[in-house]
Amino acid sequence: MQLTPRPTGTPVTATYWASHAWLGTHVEAGVALDVAGGRFAAVRTGVETPPPGAVVLRGLTLPGLANTHSHAFHRALRSSVQVGAGTFWSWRELMYRVASLLTPDTYYELARATYAEMALAGITSVGEFHYLHHAPGGRPYDNPNAMGEALVAAAAEAGIRITLLDTAYLAAGFGEKPNRHQLRFSDTTADAWAERAAALRGGDHALIGAAVHSVRAVPADQLATVAAWADERVAPLHVHLSEQTAENDACVAAHGRTPTRLLADHGVLGPRTTAVHSTHLTAEDIDLLGSSGTGTCMCPTTERDLADGIGPAAALQRAGSPLSLGSDSHAVIDLFEEARAMELDERLRTRVRGHWTAEALLRAASADGHAALGRPEAGTLEPGAAADLTTIALDSVRTAGPVPRMAAQVAVFAASAADVRHTVVAGRHIVRDGRHTMVEDVPRALASAVAAVYR
């Protein structure tokens, strides 16, 4: 038996016993995890039977998953935007329609239900790329951060952590004023955005970060203001990057350089920055992202759903860009699917198999995602790490059959969110035996919240 002692005087508040656990490099049978102060105080291996009083987790226990890129209100688009044909730009018109309908109250209910769905999928932390700031027409609410605070409260009620990436969204395009839909998003200037965002407050479950919506939505001469805001707070900074070739073409026409080069020239890239999508990059772009340590968040389901394309994830990682994963528009909320899709899409693109191991894909879905959200202490089952975990069944129709030592491969290449049985956040049992302990009926909450948006 291996015993990692807890710090002297720190009381253990819970012990979880995993029949099998992924410890970063391999699957171990019989692992006891002691929790103290919301962190793992000890991780004991070779524990053949559950200790007295321990909570039993049968299946494969993993670190809690990190959903690095989310737009919570897009959950109301599920199914409706899958009707008919079109492109990203036609999809965007439908998205604007839903954005125009939300209030702080309906946004709270929708986000609470969406974050509860994430907990059921094993997600313990979400990066919320938040740009729906104001009332229709652009009028600030009496509380200018009413919408952002609704998201923070929703995450607390759903039991998960949130990094609220308050987003600067100031223009419709290069040299274009916001259109009537985008007035809700715009603070008019980066200085006004920074003043409003500075009033946001986090908490034990919430961090406040920043985002540049895109180079088309933040004028070049205002990019440095957003980057400086994040630097001063040592906060995460995220940005949609080169999701569409049309954006690349417009950026070159306006500035004579690619979006990646524009961001680099204005101090946006760096180890605390995560570029989302990065679908259409040049070789120089890839080198700029990798050499600066800028992370990359891939959202394969959304990128496929919107017909965006397949980004150069493998090349970015080889260049030095850490990879994370997001469910973005929430066509589905399933990070096992996102991890699997990143590998399988690369196989389609290259016609070669095996670009990442299952272990590397699980790290993208956990430790590297948490780091991108400003939580480097999360994402591992180790003493001192945040006590976040999820357990998937190894006896479902998808996962039954393989020997337990191959459970990491099963998780990535066969399992789905439907296989999640337990989710624990800061030592608190949020999902128990497949049921959310804080939101009584998540499907009903989702149906009610989506209906309220359209009412």
Side-chain angles (χ1 to χ4, degrees), residues 27-51:
V27 174
E28 188 86 28
V31 178
L33 302 110
D34 295 330
V35 176
R39 294 183 179 249
F40 293 121
V43 178
R44 295 175 280 149
T45 58
V47 183
E48 295 183 0
T49 58

Side-chain angles (χ1 to χ4, degrees), residues 14 75 244 283 293 322 340 368 426:
R75 179 59 180 81
Q244 293 291 323
R340 177 163 57 243
D368 290 343

Side-chain angles (χ1 to χ4, degrees), residues 403-452:
V403 295
R405 66 182 176 83
M406 302 300 292
Q409 286 74 20
V410 171
V412 172
F413 292 105
S416 78
D419 295 308
V420 171
R421 294 294 175 267
H422 301 278
T423 301
V424 171
V425 181
R428 185 182 186 185
H429 212 154
I430 302 301
V431 174
R432 185 190 300 267
D433 297 320
R435 295 186 64 84
H436 203 289
T437 61
M438 299 172 67
V439 181
E440 183 175 351
D441 187 338
V442 177
R444 183 176 179 181
L446 284 162
S448 175
V450 171

Side-chain angles (χ1 to χ4, degrees), residues 7-262:
T8 303
T10 305
V12 170
T13 54
T15 296
Y16 292 91
W17 180 82
S19 62
H20 296 87
W22 178 66
L23 299 182
T25 58
H26 66 288
V27 174
E28 188 86 28
V31 178
L33 302 110
D34 295 330
V35 176
R39 294 183 179 249
F40 293 121
V43 178
R44 295 175 280 149
T45 58
V47 183
E48 295 183 0
T49 58
V55 178
V56 175
L57 308 174
R58 297 203 180 274
L60 175 66
T61 294
L62 304 162
L65 306 180
N67 189 353
T68 308
H69 189 65
S70 162
H71 301 292
F73 78 89
H74 289 191
R75 179 59 180 81
L77 293 165
R78 186 180 294 179
S79 76
S80 61
V81 292
Q82 276 75 44
V83 176
T87 66
F88 168 87
W89 307 104
S90 55
W91 167 89
R92 191 175 69 160
E93 292 304 313
L94 296 173
M95 180 271 288
Y96 285 157
R97 190 181 311 165
V98 170
S100 71
L101 300 173
L102 286 159
T103 68
D105 289 341
T106 57
Y107 204 10
Y108 164 79
E109 294 293 343
L110 179 59
R112 172 178 173 269
T114 301
Y115 296 153
E117 182 181 357
M118 291 184 193
L120 289 172
I123 293 163
T124 59
S125 189
V126 61
E128 184 60 41
F129 200 100
H130 167 55
Y131 55 81
L132 186 51
H133 302 305
H134 306 300
R139 177 182 55 81
Y141 289 102
D142 291 341
N143 171 3
N145 284 307
M147 297 295 262
E149 290 177 7
L151 293 166
V152 171
E157 290 300 310
I160 71 171
R161 306 180 193 270
I162 185 172
T163 298
L164 185 71
L165 299 160
D166 196 278
T167 303
Y169 192 138
L170 310 174
F174 299 98
E176 299 179 23
K177 293 181 178 180
N179 65 34
R180 61 187 179 87
H181 301 291
Q182 297 162 340
L183 291 173
R184 292 200 76 173
F185 312 157
S186 178
D187 291 293
T188 68
T189 68
D191 286 336
W193 166 84
E195 181 178 358
R196 180 188 51 73
L200 283 162
R201 295 290 179 265
D204 290 342
H205 81 293
L207 299 177
I208 307 300
V212 169
H213 179 272
S214 57
V215 293
R216 71 177 185 275
V218 178
D221 61 359
Q222 299 188 58
L223 290 169
T225 299
V226 184
W229 189 98
D231 283 343
E232 290 165 7
R233 292 160 176 78
V234 195
L237 174 61
H238 289 212
V239 54
H240 289 137
L241 179 62
S242 291
E243 185 176 3
Q244 293 291 323
T245 55
E247 176 179 274
N248 288 358
D249 294 343
C251 186
V252 171
H255 296 289
R257 65 199 85 175
T258 67
T260 303
R261 170 53 74 182
L262 187 68

